[in-house]
Structure formats: structure tokens, C-alpha cells
Amino acid sequence: MDEHLPEALRAVEDELAALLRRGRALSWEIAREVHPNLEPNAYGLLLWLRRSGSTRLTDLATRLGIGKGTLSRQIHGLEGLGLVRRDPDPDDRRAAQLSLTEEGTRRFDSARSVRLGQLRQALESWPDRDVEEFARLLRRFNDGAL
């Protein structure tokens, strides 16, 4: 590692690596709760679909920073599991609107409540203002991340 990096930057790198390791493990666990055949990276995709209600594939690909072909393959797999549906876009028949199915919403909400419970437990001793600041700083980091 570069000896010239400030200690605080090294600490951020260490903590981010630990967070990512734990996040990958948690993604496997949560994905299996949604559906036994669900890929772990699909949880984030389902989260965005749950938040948006309905979105175009191209808009979702842009938001997630992945290629349309990759996203289309992932969506196809989620459709096969009965979690996502693809409907024609009323404004552009060449495009599709993606959304969770009723079953997808039910399964996602159930798994998400477990995840939120784990977060609540991890942060229960924190003052509300610290949790709000943590969320703000994570958002700021993610907005500026490559």
C-alpha cells in the first residue's frame, strides 16, 4: 500500500472492505430468503424495482450502472422465477416496463423485513441523529463513487 496515504484513508479502505465482505455474505442469505434459486446480486435489482414500482429496462440499467444486455439476462431469470414481469411501455411500444409481481413483492418484503430488523438491531444503540448522518454520508459516498 502507498506509504503516503493518510491513515484515515487507509482506515476507510479497511472498513469498506469489511463492509463489502459482510454485504456479500448477507446478499447470499437474503437472496435465498426471497427465492432458493435467486442469485445474490439480484437483491439490489429487486430493491430498485420495489422502490420505483415500475421502470424501463434502459432507465434501470443506467441507474444501476450495468449494461442493458446483462440486465436483460438478469430480468429474464427473475421472470422465470415469477418475481418480475415485463409489460409493454405505453409511451414506447419498443420498450418494456419492469415491475415486481405480487409474489415478487411478497417475497421481497418478507426478506427485507428480516434485513431491516438486522440493521435496526445493529444500530439500536446509536442516537437517531447518528443514524441519519450515517445514511447521509453513505449516500454522499455512493453518489461520488466510481
Side-chain angles (χ1 to χ4, degrees), residues 9 22 29 33 43 49 58 83 88 95 98 114 118 129:
L9 189 56
R22 293 176 74 194
E29 184 181 314
E33 288 180 31
Y43 181 83
L49 287 173
T58 53
L83 303 174
L98 305 171
V114 170
Q118 292 168 331
R129 69 182 177 283

Short mmCIF file of all heavy atoms in Angstrom, two decimals, residues 9 22 29 33 43 49 58 83 88 95 98 114 118 129:
data_model
loop_
_atom_site.label_atom_id
_atom_site.label_comp_id
_atom_site.label_asym_id
_atom_site.label_seq_id
_atom_site.Cartn_x
_atom_site.Cartn_y
_atom_site.Cartn_z
N LEU A 9 -7.53 7.51 5.34
CA LEU A 9 -7.91 6.90 4.07
C LEU A 9 -7.71 5.39 4.13
O LEU A 9 -8.54 4.62 3.65
CB LEU A 9 -7.10 7.51 2.92
CG LEU A 9 -7.53 7.13 1.52
CD1 LEU A 9 -9.00 7.44 1.27
CD2 LEU A 9 -6.66 7.84 0.49
N ARG A 22 -19.03 -8.46 4.45
CA ARG A 22 -20.26 -8.78 5.18
C ARG A 22 -21.48 -8.63 4.27
O ARG A 22 -22.42 -9.41 4.37
CB ARG A 22 -20.39 -7.87 6.40
CG ARG A 22 -19.31 -8.18 7.44
CD ARG A 22 -19.37 -7.24 8.60
NE ARG A 22 -20.51 -7.57 9.43
CZ ARG A 22 -20.98 -6.78 10.38
NH1 ARG A 22 -20.43 -5.62 10.60
NH2 ARG A 22 -22.01 -7.16 11.10
N GLU A 29 -27.55 -14.69 1.85
CA GLU A 29 -28.58 -15.07 2.81
C GLU A 29 -29.94 -14.49 2.43
O GLU A 29 -30.95 -15.20 2.39
CB GLU A 29 -28.15 -14.57 4.19
CG GLU A 29 -29.04 -14.94 5.33
CD GLU A 29 -28.52 -14.34 6.63
OE1 GLU A 29 -27.31 -14.45 6.91
OE2 GLU A 29 -29.34 -13.77 7.35
N GLU A 33 -33.63 -16.16 0.96
CA GLU A 33 -34.92 -15.94 1.61
C GLU A 33 -35.98 -15.51 0.61
O GLU A 33 -37.14 -15.86 0.76
CB GLU A 33 -34.79 -14.91 2.72
CG GLU A 33 -34.04 -15.42 3.93
CD GLU A 33 -33.92 -14.38 5.02
OE1 GLU A 33 -34.83 -13.54 5.16
OE2 GLU A 33 -32.90 -14.39 5.72
N TYR A 43 -30.69 -9.04 -5.35
CA TYR A 43 -31.41 -8.32 -4.29
C TYR A 43 -31.45 -6.83 -4.56
O TYR A 43 -32.48 -6.19 -4.43
CB TYR A 43 -30.79 -8.60 -2.91
CG TYR A 43 -31.53 -7.90 -1.80
CD1 TYR A 43 -32.67 -8.45 -1.25
CD2 TYR A 43 -31.10 -6.66 -1.32
CE1 TYR A 43 -33.37 -7.80 -0.25
CE2 TYR A 43 -31.79 -6.00 -0.32
CZ TYR A 43 -32.93 -6.58 0.21
OH TYR A 43 -33.63 -5.93 1.19
N LEU A 49 -36.52 -2.11 -8.12
CA LEU A 49 -37.86 -2.31 -8.70
C LEU A 49 -38.94 -2.06 -7.65
O LEU A 49 -39.99 -1.51 -7.97
CB LEU A 49 -37.98 -3.73 -9.28
CG LEU A 49 -37.22 -3.96 -10.57
CD1 LEU A 49 -37.28 -5.44 -10.94
CD2 LEU A 49 -37.78 -3.10 -11.69
N THR A 58 -34.02 0.29 -19.74
CA THR A 58 -32.89 1.19 -20.01
C THR A 58 -32.65 2.15 -18.85
O THR A 58 -31.49 2.43 -18.51
CB THR A 58 -33.12 2.00 -21.30
OG1 THR A 58 -34.38 2.65 -21.23
CG2 THR A 58 -33.08 1.10 -22.52
N LEU A 83 -40.83 -13.59 -10.16
CA LEU A 83 -40.66 -12.45 -9.28
C LEU A 83 -40.83 -11.11 -9.98
O LEU A 83 -41.16 -10.10 -9.34
CB LEU A 83 -39.26 -12.50 -8.63
CG LEU A 83 -38.94 -13.77 -7.84
CD1 LEU A 83 -37.49 -13.75 -7.39
CD2 LEU A 83 -39.89 -13.92 -6.66
N PRO A 88 -45.39 -4.06 -21.80
CA PRO A 88 -45.09 -3.04 -22.81
C PRO A 88 -45.19 -1.64 -22.21
O PRO A 88 -46.07 -1.36 -21.40
CB PRO A 88 -46.16 -3.24 -23.88
CG PRO A 88 -46.74 -4.59 -23.63
CD PRO A 88 -46.53 -4.89 -22.17
N ALA A 95 -40.18 -0.42 -25.99
CA ALA A 95 -39.60 -0.54 -24.65
C ALA A 95 -40.51 -1.36 -23.74
O ALA A 95 -41.67 -1.60 -24.06
CB ALA A 95 -39.39 0.86 -24.06
N LEU A 98 -40.69 -2.67 -16.31
CA LEU A 98 -40.41 -3.77 -15.40
C LEU A 98 -41.03 -3.48 -14.05
O LEU A 98 -41.00 -2.34 -13.58
CB LEU A 98 -38.90 -3.94 -15.22
CG LEU A 98 -38.10 -4.11 -16.48
CD1 LEU A 98 -36.61 -4.06 -16.15
CD2 LEU A 98 -38.45 -5.42 -17.17
N VAL A 114 -36.60 -8.86 7.40
CA VAL A 114 -35.54 -9.52 8.16
C VAL A 114 -34.27 -8.66 8.11
O VAL A 114 -33.63 -8.42 9.14
CB VAL A 114 -35.26 -10.94 7.61
CG1 VAL A 114 -34.01 -11.54 8.23
CG2 VAL A 114 -36.46 -11.84 7.83
N GLN A 118 -32.25 -6.68 11.18
CA GLN A 118 -30.83 -6.82 11.50
C GLN A 118 -30.15 -5.45 11.58
O GLN A 118 -29.34 -5.21 12.47
CB GLN A 118 -30.14 -7.69 10.45
CG GLN A 118 -30.57 -9.14 10.48
CD GLN A 118 -30.10 -9.93 9.27
OE1 GLN A 118 -29.93 -9.40 8.18
NE2 GLN A 118 -29.92 -11.23 9.47
N ARG A 129 -29.80 10.89 15.36
CA ARG A 129 -29.03 11.84 14.53
C ARG A 129 -27.80 11.16 13.93
O ARG A 129 -27.39 11.50 12.83
CB ARG A 129 -28.67 13.09 15.31
CG ARG A 129 -27.67 12.89 16.40
CD ARG A 129 -27.38 14.17 17.19
NE ARG A 129 -26.46 13.91 18.27
CZ ARG A 129 -26.76 13.33 19.42
NH1 ARG A 129 -28.01 12.96 19.66
NH2 ARG A 129 -25.84 13.12 20.34
#
